[in-house]
Amino acid sequence: DPSEITTNIVIFTVADPGGLCASLERSGVRMGALDASRVRAVTHLDVDSASIDAAVEAVRGALVAAG
């Protein structure tokens, strides 16, 4: 049951994973392109909820800028 799994990994699909990751890197957010359609994001113990919110906003901004 996926609702019972706790993880620090998020994988999501976008049109241009490499472009998104490059844009995020310029914003100070590091994520990795897994393949031609997926991005992998991982948090660590030192990442607080404010940093996660900032990363989400960076992804949102990069996707809006990409059109």
Side-chain angles (χ1 to χ4, degrees), residues 37-50:
S37 64
R38 297 181 300 161
V39 172
R40 180 176 181 254
V42 180
T43 62
H44 299 277
L45 292 175
D46 59 335
V47 177
D48 60 17
S49 55

Side-chain angles (χ1 to χ4, degrees), residues 11-21 31-41:
I11 297 173
F12 57 98
T13 302
V14 295
D16 181 11
L20 175 63
C21 291
M31 294 186 188
L34 282 178
D35 55 31
S37 64
R38 297 181 300 161
V39 172
R40 180 176 181 254

